[in-house]
Amino acid sequence: MGSLSLFSVNAVLVMSADDGSRIFAKYYSPPHPPAGTAPNSTDYPGANPYPTLKEQKAFEKGLLEKTNKQTSDVILYDNRIVVFKLESDVMLYVVGGAEENEVLLYNVVLSLRDALGILFKGATDKRTIVENYDLVALAIDELIDDGIILETDPVLIASRVSRAPQPDAPNLKSIDLSEQGLLNAWELGKRRLAEGLRQM
């Protein structure tokens, strides 16, 4: 039996379905390679087989050509399990090793699709993704860290990523910061404190 590891995702890709251009790509290597492995080695199970940009682009081009003709959402490509979803004019890919559980990877791509749908109110297209690139990167980081799946609840992912609402801060323009205004505030505080002490 091989060593147990939570590492399960080799790459997450967001690509344009129209022209095949890369919108977002993140490749992962196991955070802890097996003992005795040379640095920057790619010949152990789970290692990123596409360390250079040229190799990544070649893999992505072939992947897009293969998935454009597919009717299913799960394929085996280049000895990797690839699950994908077409959303408007973008393709969302999650890539795992050949021995990986495709149901788990499929759940990840669905979570990504649904989280982006919540964040962008259903308008998950190339333009929206490019304009909100920071939210896409944060959503993927909430979903996967170093190839380890952290969260698959799209509502939770979207809530962690979405911009925080503006706090209901008091209107500072209406506060009188003059000497008389501060004395009035001091007197009001003293009166309230005295009333509170009398009620005890």
Side-chain angles (χ1 to χ4, degrees):
M1 181 170 162
S3 62
L4 295 174
S5 172
L6 294 174
F7 181 81
S8 52
V9 177
N10 290 127
V12 176
L13 308 169
V14 179
M15 297 175 63
S16 170
D18 299 333
D19 58 5
S21 63
R22 172 197 276 198
I23 301 170
F24 179 93
K26 194 160 190 177
Y27 289 82
Y28 303 99
S29 286
H32 306 291
T37 305
N40 301 325
S41 173
T42 59
D43 61 350
Y44 60 90
N48 179 8
Y50 315 108
T52 67
L53 183 62
K54 182 179 178 184
E55 292 169 320
Q56 291 173 6
K57 293 275 193 179
F59 172 73
E60 292 164 15
K61 182 180 179 200
L63 183 61
L64 193 65
E65 289 171 2
K66 175 110 177 174
T67 54
N68 274 340
K69 305 170 189 141
Q70 292 293 322
T71 55
S72 67
D73 294 339
V74 180
I75 63 167
L76 186 66
Y77 176 73
D78 198 22
N79 202 27
R80 306 258 166 228
I81 291 180
V82 180
V83 293
F84 59 96
K85 276 288 180 195
L86 176 64
E87 193 68 21
S88 185
D89 60 349
V90 293
M91 291 286 270
L92 306 172
Y93 295 99
V94 175
V95 182
E99 71 289 340
E100 202 53 61
N101 183 337
E102 53 273 345
V103 176
L104 177 70
L105 296 176
Y106 191 69
N107 195 16
V108 172
V109 81
L110 290 180
S111 298
L112 176 60
R113 180 199 65 185
D114 295 345
L116 294 178
I118 293 168
L119 286 169
F120 305 141
K121 297 175 180 51
T124 307
D125 55 20
K126 182 178 178 180
R127 180 178 178 178
T128 308
I129 288 173
V130 169
E131 288 174 356
N132 298 284
Y133 194 82
D134 57 339
L135 295 179
V136 175
L138 286 172
I140 290 172
D141 284 345
E142 284 293 330
L143 184 64
I144 300 163
D145 183 37
D146 272 342
I148 298 169
I149 300 165
L150 298 178
E151 182 63 61
T152 58
D153 182 354
V155 175
L156 201 56
I157 293 167
S159 70
R160 289 178 182 166
V161 168
S162 60
R163 294 182 175 97
Q166 294 298 321
D168 295 331
N171 186 356
L172 296 178
K173 292 179 183 172
S174 65
I175 296 176
D176 183 11
L177 294 177
S178 67
E179 188 175 340
Q180 185 59 46
L182 292 174
L183 285 173
N184 292 343
W186 174 256
E187 289 299 321
L188 177 66
K190 278 188 354 186
R191 265 184 278 144
R192 293 247 172 104
L193 179 62
E195 288 171 12
L197 291 173
R198 269 188 250 133
Q199 291 174 0
M200 292 178 118

